[in-house]
Amino acid sequence: MPDQPRFYLTTAIDYPNSLPHIGTAFEKVGADVQARYRRMEGYNVFFLMGNDENTVKVARKAAQLGRDTQEYCNEMAAKFREVWDTLGIQYDDFIQTSEPRHHIGCRKFIQRVYDNGHIYKGTYEGLYCEGCEEFKKESEIKDAGGVCPNHKTPPIRRSEPCYFFALSKFRDRLLKFYEEHPDFIQPEARRNEILSLVQTELLDVNISRRGEKWGIRVPFDEEYTIYVWFDALLNYITAIGYGTDEERFRHWWPADVHFIGKDITRFHCALWPAMCFAAGIEPPRKVFGHGFVYVKNEETGVVEKISKSLGNAINPMDIIQKFGPEQFRYYFLSQCPFPSDGEFGWERFATVNDADLANKLGNLNSRVLTLITGKYAKTLEGTAGHSPQPIDPALDLAALVEEIRGYVETCRYHLALQTIWQKIVTPANVYLESYAPWTLVKTDREAAKQVVFNAVGPLRTAAILCKPFLPKKAETIYKSFNFTIPWESVRYADAAQPAQFTGDLHILAELDDKGKPKPLFPRIG
């Protein structure tokens, strides 16, 4: 499609010195929902993820294990991708910053910024946190009791010659950019923080390290390697061809949205656009700083920040392998507001799974399929050319779909799912309970047939609206029936349209040995 709109989105790249945890997965799942929704709506999507490998702590971790650094990075990249693939993250590219394409693009970028007069040599002295790989302000360390507020470890005082990026020169241009692009920083709550930073604390940035063997060499002074942020941020452009394929780069850039954790908002909203200005390229269109996932200590009831020191980091695979990837997706998307913070607890996970997935959506699907297969031999005769009647004639379904669309496009996924369950799934279950077609069929088969036929309508609507959130389960529901529109072609607007069938409604679902539909979401409790 020559007029197909394009949509380029990215997530933060991750340090591979340890395996991903549920907070990392929260970001990837949230971005995946947006990517799937945009594809569903006809966009040509490019979804980028990756690992941040050119760091001191990655090289140190490999050395501790007695491994070659590149070999270690490749192995960790495979482990990260295994988690993302199991979760159904439909990314288009996974960049490793140790790749040649990234090195080439970084060297070209920093050389251009240097040639444009925005890099100078100097000496930097300050308190350095090796965990953050950045210098900290004296006030930050003092307020945290002499330690890094993020890693709870004391910083080291460090002085070294280095190259600086003249970030302070871009204060006025950044402020003007924010004014002209009020939606650049999302959610809105992050905006004031960045404005305050740029207005009062915008300092020049150290962009090099001396004496490191691992990393990307500074092209105008090979004694130095490029410092972490002036390397890591560039993955967003090197992955789409900056420095290696300019035509491809021009096609995809600027990014429509960077999804990142709120703790690195300032680097993406101040440093990164200034770097783009300095290199003569457009900045990204939007940065979305999502919230954190906290972990509930089941013994004490205390909600804690995920921390290596506390030993409370949970590997997503521990949840996925026990309960399933779509159960994982539903919990974090419905219970953890993407723009703010949420929490995970094993007991809460089981409660949500059983209440929302097993008892509501799963039960609705099971009841409809069981009735049609068991009482009507898998076919509702006489329904060809007809559509289910609305179970609530007063509901403006088209307006409801647009409301949910608005929630998805603004990343308020929890509100989208709450609305689907409250306005579509739950009423459909109530409708079936009211008419009890499993009892009615004994005395009036035609009336019971109409009731179950009508219930197919909201089940179909829920499946379409859940496609970005629960891609496999939603597909299973939809493909259980002979709807005329192929699953691959459905869009959100179709959810508001009456269901159409190829002939009489017929069940296509896979059945178990007893001829019954398989449970969609097994109960945990």
Side-chain angles (χ1 to χ4, degrees):
M1 295 176 60
D3 58 345
Q4 187 179 20
R6 68 116 175 117
F7 196 88
Y8 175 36
L9 71 159
T10 72
T11 65
I13 52 176
D14 302 307
Y15 289 132
N17 58 319
S18 61
L19 292 171
H21 55 67
I22 55 175
T24 320
F26 177 54
E27 173 178 289
K28 313 312 180 196
V29 170
D32 183 63
V33 170
Q34 199 63 216
R36 287 179 177 275
Y37 167 75
R38 298 291 173 171
R39 290 190 190 101
M40 189 177 175
E41 295 303 290
Y43 287 82
N44 180 20
V45 171
F46 191 80
F47 178 17
L48 174 68
M49 293 168 51
N51 276 0
D52 185 4
E53 299 171 337
N54 301 318
T55 67
V56 172
K57 53 188 172 185
V58 169
R60 185 180 299 135
K61 181 70 173 182
Q64 289 172 356
L65 297 172
R67 304 286 301 281
D68 172 76
T69 306
Q70 186 65 66
E71 181 184 277
Y72 170 78
C73 288
N74 292 343
E75 181 181 297
M76 290 299 289
K79 291 180 178 179
F80 271 73
R81 295 181 73 160
E82 180 186 10
V83 177
W84 308 146
D85 292 345
T86 304
L87 270 174
I89 311 297
Q90 206 172 47
Y91 53 89
D92 296 290
D93 193 2
F94 187 94
I95 188 168
Q96 295 177 237
T97 59
S98 60
E99 292 180 60
R101 58 172 171 162
H102 183 68
H103 284 230
I104 293 168
C106 281
R107 285 169 62 87
K108 178 178 179 180
F109 185 94
I110 197 171
Q111 184 68 57
R112 179 169 292 177
V113 176
Y114 180 78
D115 292 342
N116 288 346
H118 302 302
I119 293 175
Y120 64 91
K121 195 170 187 179
T123 302
Y124 193 93
E125 179 177 342
L127 297 174
Y128 185 83
C129 172
E130 292 187 334
C132 293
E133 296 208 359
E134 69 172 354
F135 285 93
K136 296 290 185 179
K137 292 185 294 184
E138 301 270 356
S139 59
E140 279 186 275
I141 301 302
K142 182 179 179 181
D143 291 345
V147 297
C148 167
N150 294 326
H151 293 91
K152 311 303 179 187
T153 55
I156 58 174
R157 184 162 291 279
R158 187 166 174 167
S159 176
E160 61 180 39
C162 65
Y163 285 93
F164 285 88
F165 170 56
L167 178 60
S168 59
K169 290 167 52 176
F170 293 92
R171 178 180 289 106
D172 291 343
R173 188 167 179 183
L174 283 169
L175 293 173
K176 183 180 180 183
F177 175 73
Y178 302 150
E179 183 180 353
E180 293 174 347
H181 302 84
D183 294 331
F184 172 68
I185 304 170
Q186 292 294 319
E188 183 67 25
R190 314 269 184 258
R191 181 178 171 84
N192 290 338
E193 173 192 343
I194 299 302
L195 286 175
S196 176
L197 169 74
V198 172
Q199 289 167 344
T200 62
E201 302 179 36
L202 199 66
L203 304 175
D204 292 351
V205 178
N206 173 8
I207 62 167
S208 68
R209 300 288 295 273
R210 190 173 68 167
E212 299 293 341
K213 294 181 180 179
W214 178 252
I216 304 172
R217 296 289 156 193
V218 173
F220 46 83
D221 193 338
E222 298 280 342
E223 184 182 359
Y224 292 83
T225 53
I226 300 174
Y227 178 66
V228 57
W229 286 107
F230 227 84
D231 158 13
L233 289 166
L234 297 184
N235 88 90
Y236 302 133
I237 59 174
T238 60
I240 54 170
Y242 185 90
T244 55
D245 188 339
E246 289 302 310
E247 183 178 354
R248 183 166 178 262
F249 168 70
R250 286 193 299 270
H251 173 74
W252 287 110
W253 192 254
D256 290 275
V257 60
H258 293 318
F259 287 110
I260 56 159
K262 64 180 180 180
D263 55 330
I264 54 174
T265 307
R266 60 194 179 105
F267 298 108
H268 284 76
C269 294
L271 176 58
W272 179 221
M275 289 166 58
C276 292
F277 294 149
I281 65 173
E282 288 185 68
R285 291 172 178 162
K286 185 179 295 184
V287 175
F288 192 102
H290 64 78
F292 290 154
V293 173
Y294 293 85
V295 175
K296 184 177 182 179
N297 186 314
E298 302 288 351
E299 294 181 1
T300 65
V302 175
V303 177
E304 304 166 334
K305 185 176 181 181
I306 296 174
S307 165
K308 291 180 184 177
S309 60
L310 291 175
N312 62 358
I314 299 172
N315 188 324
M317 295 298 273
D318 292 341
I319 302 172
I320 298 166
Q321 290 173 349
K322 191 172 183 180
F323 304 117
E326 307 242 322
Q327 289 87 332
F328 182 104
R329 290 174 68 103
Y330 181 81
Y331 178 87
F332 286 96
L333 292 168
S334 67
Q335 303 302 305
C336 301
F338 204 61
S340 52
D341 298 330
E343 68 177 74
F344 171 81
W346 291 98
E347 185 177 328
R348 177 65 179 160
F349 185 94
T351 299
V352 170
N353 177 85
D354 291 355
D356 289 5
L357 297 179
N359 294 351
K360 291 183 179 176
L361 182 58
N363 194 39
L364 175 63
N365 182 68
S366 178
R367 281 174 160 175
V368 169
L369 293 181
T370 299
L371 279 163
I372 298 175
T373 55
K375 302 299 182 181
Y376 296 94
K378 299 173 65 172
T379 300
L380 296 185
E381 295 181 357
T383 55
H386 298 278
S387 296
Q389 298 173 7
I391 64 171
D392 179 7
L395 177 67
D396 186 340
L397 188 54
L400 182 65
V401 169
E402 289 307 304
E403 178 185 347
I404 294 167
R405 184 196 301 280
Y407 292 144
V408 175
E409 293 185 356
T410 55
C411 304
R412 292 178 290 173
Y413 304 136
H414 64 299
L415 295 181
L417 288 169
Q418 285 174 21
T419 305
I420 293 168
W421 257 249
Q422 290 172 2
K423 300 294 182 67
I424 298 169
V425 177
T426 298
N429 276 306
V430 171
Y431 173 79
L432 286 176
E433 288 285 348
S434 299
Y435 286 94
W438 45 86
T439 301
L440 183 61
V441 71
K442 299 174 184 178
T443 57
D444 192 337
R445 286 180 58 81
E446 283 301 308
K449 182 175 75 174
Q450 187 62 52
V451 170
V452 73
F453 184 54
N454 292 345
V456 172
L459 185 57
R460 170 185 174 273
T461 297
I464 294 172
L465 296 176
C466 284
K467 185 176 181 179
F469 301 96
L470 308 173
K472 293 296 184 184
K473 299 295 187 181
E475 180 179 12
T476 297
I477 294 171
Y478 192 89
K479 287 188 173 181
S480 294
F481 304 90
N482 58 327
F483 297 122
T484 54
I485 302 176
W487 175 246
E488 295 72 22
S489 303
V490 294
R491 297 191 178 190
Y492 255 40
D494 296 321
Q497 299 302 314
Q500 300 290 333
F501 307 89
T502 55
D504 288 333
L505 184 153
H506 182 71
I507 297 301
L508 305 173
E510 183 181 352
L511 305 177
D512 64 18
D513 295 339
K514 297 180 180 179
K516 294 183 178 181
K518 296 180 178 180
L520 199 63
F521 298 102
R523 289 178 55 84
I524 296 174

